[in-house]
Amino acid sequence: MSVVYDEAQQAIGDAARRALAAQADRQRQLAALEQVGAFDLQFHEIAARQGWLAMALPEAHGGLGLGLIEQGIVAQACGGVIAGTPLLATNAGVAQAIIAGGDAALAGRWLRRLGAGDAKGAVAFAEAEAMLPDTAATQWDGTTLTGSKQGVPAGLVADVALVWASRDGEPVLALADLAGASRTAIDSFDNGRLHADLIFAATPATALAQGEAARALALDLLARMATITAHEQTGGAEALLWIARDYALARKAFGQPIGAFQSVKHRIAELYALVEIARANCIHAASREGQPDFLLAAAAARLSAGEAYDTAARDCVQIHGGFGVTWEGGLHLHMRRARSLAIELGHALFWEDIAVDELVGGVLVGSRA
Amino acid sequence: MTDLDGWRRQARAWLETQLPAFGKAARIGLSEPEDLAFGRRYQRAKFDAGFAGINWSPAFGGRGLTPLHKLIFDQEEARFDLPMGYFGVSLGIAVPVVMHHAPDREWARARVIEALKGETIWCQMFSEPSGGSDLAGLRTRAEPHGAEGSEGGWLINGQKLWTTYAQYADYGVLLARSDPAVAKHKGLTFFWVDMHAPGVTVRPVRLAAGDAHVNEIFFDDMAIPDSQRISAVGAGFATAMATLMIERYSASDPAGHGPPLSRFIETVRDRCINGRPALEDGRVRSAIARAYAMRSGLDAIVTRAMLMMEAGMEPGPEGSLNKLVAVRSRQKLSELAIDLMGHEGLAWDRQGHTKEDWVASWLGAPTLRIAGGADEMLLNTIAERILGLPQDHRPDKGVPFNQIPV
């Protein structure tokens, strides 16, 4: 199954692109790269004001009652202008976990604030190089967390974190108020993502799920966030496709536009193929929310969008020649974002394994692929 | 979607009733002419059941349904190994040209209906030894010839190549050069010809996979009346382009007409690499995951295009990506599957089906990367038509054909 965007959904995309274009500022983005802890407040305010953080929340909690399709449309627009803190995905992930956990008190405390952008959420699953370790070193003892998480996106500003932990070797998904944790900023190659190491020392935390239920919920949340992020990656790749195309038309060498040389035009045509395949996978994944093949669909979206964005960043820079590698030219903003998004929420090898586990497990039966 | 879902179920149910008579099991060990006879009977069964010419006008023997109905039937039909390949070019390209463009409508109607019944087969004669990608560079001559009475006629001389199933064709559509003194695109005219007429010689060309479904065709002073002209004189190139657009949304296969990924997993499930299970090997897993991500994207493109058609919208140009992307993937996955079978992969089953057999798939893949538009031409089309990038440097542009250096 897939979808064709209806008029309301197209209007959401148009509105998002308009709002983002009004605040686009390359100098501000370049400056943010050189500051640790800098936070693109303008973007965050737009996201909050436009309701982008509340889209998938139930109306009872101040949300818009929409879903992944609409979240994806907005994320794609954000990716196109390299806008966005990780909160687009992480606030959605934390909110979804709280809903799934079914604790009314937690829902009352956090959901409305997360949706309004007054509270910021981080998702701290990874430890060292592992996205979702079998047994997390971070321990939950029934009431508190102890341990550390490295390079958590949005970790620098988050008020609350969803933490992948363990208790007696069994997985636990716990929600921790970060007032009780300490954090260290990471000076990263894409500082706008607000990466930080989080250290928990008897930090009060509530379990949302335990045992196999925790693992299943963690994978479902990863699939949701990966679907949103895949849209963002596709938006970035699509922007680079057209930047490369425009440059290939404008730039002349050897007496003709460089886009007339097959080595250049075929490279751009290949980008088109990667972008369209990623876009189709993203829309498909968003339409499979809650279905048995959702994890596989999210993996396909994630893999193809990551490939599209990384390849577009490489090739677009290459087509620009020397101008592609200058600081002021700013293409490295896309290059950096392509890589940070590729790592956050699990690298390609992590998702390849998920896809293969699903496929070998028999999900493929009946598929034409 | 309920209507179309019902149509899909109806198609599948009917196809299943045809399997005992026409499925793979019924045709094992048949020679190609014997298989073709099965194909003709299967095509007739489709006609009788209302599954031939699904989106064609009832006036031409069709069912009068939408292109979407046709696409859905084709998707279902492709699930089975049925003998329909002989009619692909005939009913997909050549006969629709006759239906849309042949001036004598009564004659056209009779030809279309007999072809729909599988009684006749048409071929499409475009490519030549000197050019396939550069279609407008073709050299077969059509010269005015007065011997056919008051209406005048044409004398055809030259050679065509890569013509699919011409050895079984009763008729063919032909693009030939009627005026070598004008620019190459402007001197072409479109005809139909009787493949059994004097002056036509058809010789099958054996391909790398061992099969011979394409042919070379020689025209030696073949005289045809002007009534066999389908386009205006000199306007054949536009008709040829229109031909290629007729089945714009034909059913595509994300597996590139090779084995599906489930087949790959089945092939390697019990195999090892250096003593370790192949399905636990990162290189194999990466290949599976990447192929799946690509193929599921192609599948989603088709699904979205079908939903748009259903909603009365025009699908985007991304539908053209399938052949370019899917066949490359099939080629590499087939190589990997053969690798993983080790020395057992050396066996060659000459009857192997490309949707099931890795060697057959691998041997046939290069043909598909060239037939109907080579990868490089598809990339040019994407770059120029979709992205608006410049055409390649073309030194023959605007030059009269007979002054282009050879």
Side-chain angles (χ1 to χ4, degrees), chain A residues 200-227:
Chain A
F200 305 102
T203 304
T206 312
L208 299 178
Q210 299 185 54
E212 276 315 298
R215 185 176 299 279
L217 178 56
L219 282 173
D220 181 64
L221 295 169
L222 275 178
R224 288 168 189 272
M225 292 186 289
T227 299

Side-chain angles (χ1 to χ4, degrees), chain A residues 86-252:
Chain A
L87 300 173
L88 218 50
T90 58
N91 265 27
V94 172
Q96 181 62 33
I98 292 171
I99 292 168
D103 183 325
L106 283 179
R109 181 168 169 214
W110 289 111
L111 290 186
R112 192 171 287 273
R113 294 179 57 212
L114 285 166
D118 299 334
K120 302 176 185 72
V123 175
F125 287 1
E127 286 180 357
E129 76 281 2
M131 182 63 232
L132 196 67
D134 283 347
T135 308
T138 300
Q139 300 280 323
W140 183 71
D141 65 5
T143 51
T144 70
L145 285 169
T146 301
S148 64
K149 296 283 182 178
Q150 295 76 42
V152 178
L156 209 47
V157 297
D159 303 289
V160 61
L162 181 66
V163 182
W164 178 246
S166 68
R167 184 187 198 189
D168 303 329
E170 288 293 304
V172 178
L173 259 188
L175 192 72
D177 189 327
L178 290 181
S182 59
R183 52 190 126 201
T184 316
I186 290 180
D187 187 0
S188 84
F189 60 72
D190 191 10
N191 270 329
R193 306 296 291 177
L194 305 166
H195 301 116
D197 293 343
L198 300 183
I199 297 159
F200 305 102
T203 304
T206 312
L208 299 178
Q210 299 185 54
E212 276 315 298
R215 185 176 299 279
L217 178 56
L219 282 173
D220 181 64
L221 295 169
L222 275 178
R224 288 168 189 272
M225 292 186 289
T227 299
I228 295 171
T229 304
H231 281 82
E232 195 174 337
Q233 293 169 299
T234 302
E238 183 178 26
L240 287 169
L241 162 67
W242 291 104
I243 291 169
R245 176 264 199 187
D246 289 348
Y247 189 75
L249 278 175
R251 171 76 179 181
K252 296 202 170 62

Side-chain angles (χ1 to χ4, degrees), chain A residues 223 226-227 285 294-304 351-352 354-355, chain B residues 292-293:
Chain A
T227 299
F294 176 47
L295 186 58
L296 177 60
R302 175 76 177 155
L303 287 170
S304 54
W351 285 102
E352 284 179 355
I354 285 187
Chain B
Y292 180 76

Side-chain angles (χ1 to χ4, degrees), chain B residues 272-289:
Chain B
C272 286
I273 302 169
N274 294 327
R276 291 189 295 274
L279 278 181
E280 291 172 17
D281 185 279
R283 295 159 294 187
V284 174
R285 294 172 74 80
S286 181
I288 293 172

Side-chain angles (χ1 to χ4, degrees), chain A residues 2-4 242 245 259 262 265-266 269-270 272-273 280-281 296 300 348 352-353 356-357 360 364 368-369, chain B residues 252 261-262 269 285-286 290 292-293 295-297 299 301 304 307-308 318 328 376 380 382 384 387 390 392:
Chain A
S2 189
V3 289
V4 176
W242 291 104
R245 176 264 199 187
Q262 286 195 348
K265 74 196 270 195
H266 286 185
E270 296 276 9
Y272 171 80
N281 272 325
L296 177 60
E352 284 179 355
D353 273 342
V356 174
D357 287 344
V360 171
L364 199 56
R368 300 198 310 130
Chain B
S252 54
L261 262 184
S262 54
R269 192 184 286 277
R285 294 172 74 80
S286 181
R290 294 290 172 173
Y292 180 76
R295 292 169 181 209
S296 70
D299 212 18
I301 285 173
R304 194 155 45 110
L307 287 170
M308 292 181 83
E318 63 274 10
R328 289 195 302 213
E376 292 71 19
N380 266 5
I382 291 168
E384 293 168 19
L387 301 176
D392 292 356

Side-chain angles (χ1 to χ4, degrees), chain B residues 382-394:
Chain B
I382 291 168
E384 293 168 19
R385 303 271 175 82
I386 301 176
L387 301 176
L389 286 163
Q391 281 195 342
D392 292 356
H393 176 51
R394 293 181 181 174

Side-chain angles (χ1 to χ4, degrees), chain B residues 65-391:
Chain B
L65 298 174
T66 67
L68 199 47
H69 288 85
K70 166 80 160 67
L71 201 53
I72 288 169
F73 181 84
D74 289 351
Q75 282 182 345
E76 293 302 316
E77 192 181 40
R79 291 175 183 274
F80 309 103
D81 181 8
L82 289 160
M84 73 260 198
Y86 306 106
F87 305 94
V89 170
S90 178
L91 298 176
I93 303 174
V95 172
V97 183
V98 172
M99 182 166 65
H100 290 293
H101 299 288
D104 182 342
R105 304 311 288 154
E106 255 325 292
W107 176 88
R109 183 174 173 277
R111 296 291 82 71
V112 169
I113 291 175
E114 68 189 19
L116 259 192
K117 290 176 176 171
E119 293 167 3
T120 55
I121 291 175
W122 285 67
C123 64
Q124 178 212 39
M125 291 172 283
F126 281 11
S127 292
E128 298 192 356
S130 65
S133 295
D134 184 10
L135 176 60
L138 61 85
R139 299 180 170 278
T140 294
R141 303 188 309 279
E143 291 155 316
H145 176 65
E148 292 289 329
S150 57
E151 65 169 346
W154 302 84
L155 204 58
I156 312 292
N157 278 288
Q159 184 188 354
K160 293 289 173 180
L161 189 59
W162 318 128
T163 311
T164 301
Y165 289 130
Q167 71 265 54
Y168 304 128
D170 304 286
Y171 302 97
V173 291
L174 170 75
L175 194 59
R177 185 164 308 281
S178 50
D179 186 354
V182 296
K184 62 180 186 177
H185 293 83
K186 297 186 174 163
L188 304 176
T189 302
F190 210 113
F191 303 93
W192 69 265
V193 299
D194 180 345
M195 297 300 288
H196 304 307
V200 188
T201 309
V202 177
R203 283 213 297 250
V205 175
R206 200 168 180 217
L207 297 181
D211 59 321
H213 70 271
V214 301
N215 298 269
E216 55 183 349
I217 299 164
F218 300 90
F219 295 106
D220 298 298
D221 286 338
M222 180 199 205
I224 58 170
D226 190 54
S227 59
Q228 289 183 215
R229 182 168 50 78
I230 289 180
S231 74
V233 174
F237 193 75
T239 304
M241 288 299 104
T243 303
L244 299 176
M245 294 301 288
I246 285 173
E247 290 264 325
R248 189 162 169 203
Y249 304 112
S250 55
S252 54
D253 179 354
H257 303 284
L261 262 184
S262 54
R263 180 82 179 179
F264 182 85
I265 291 169
E266 201 182 298
T267 300
V268 306
R269 192 184 286 277
D270 297 321
R271 301 207 176 253
C272 286
I273 302 169
N274 294 327
R276 291 189 295 274
L279 278 181
E280 291 172 17
D281 185 279
R283 295 159 294 187
V284 174
R285 294 172 74 80
S286 181
I288 293 172
R290 294 290 172 173
Y292 180 76
M294 188 274 288
R295 292 169 181 209
S296 70
L298 292 175
D299 212 18
I301 285 173
V302 172
T303 306
R304 194 155 45 110
M306 291 175 72
L307 287 170
M308 292 181 83
M309 288 164 74
E310 193 184 353
M313 299 153 77
E314 177 84 354
E318 63 274 10
S320 64
L321 288 172
N322 195 93
K323 184 174 117 65
L324 171 70
V325 179
V327 182
R328 289 195 302 213
S329 159
R330 159 187 160 182
Q331 192 171 31
K332 294 183 82 167
L333 198 69
S334 301
E335 289 168 2
L336 183 59
I338 294 168
D339 273 339
L340 291 172
M341 290 188 282
H343 287 207
E344 289 176 22
L346 293 168
W348 180 24
D349 173 6
R350 283 161 176 73
Q351 304 279 319
H353 191 270
T354 57
K355 291 285 296 173
E356 293 172 352
D357 183 279
W358 292 107
V359 172
S361 169
W362 165 68
L363 281 171
T367 306
L368 265 194
R369 288 188 60 186
I370 295 162
D375 286 5
E376 292 71 19
M377 299 309 294
L378 301 179
L379 287 168
N380 266 5
T381 304
I382 291 168
E384 293 168 19
R385 303 271 175 82
I386 301 176
L387 301 176
L389 286 163
Q391 281 195 342

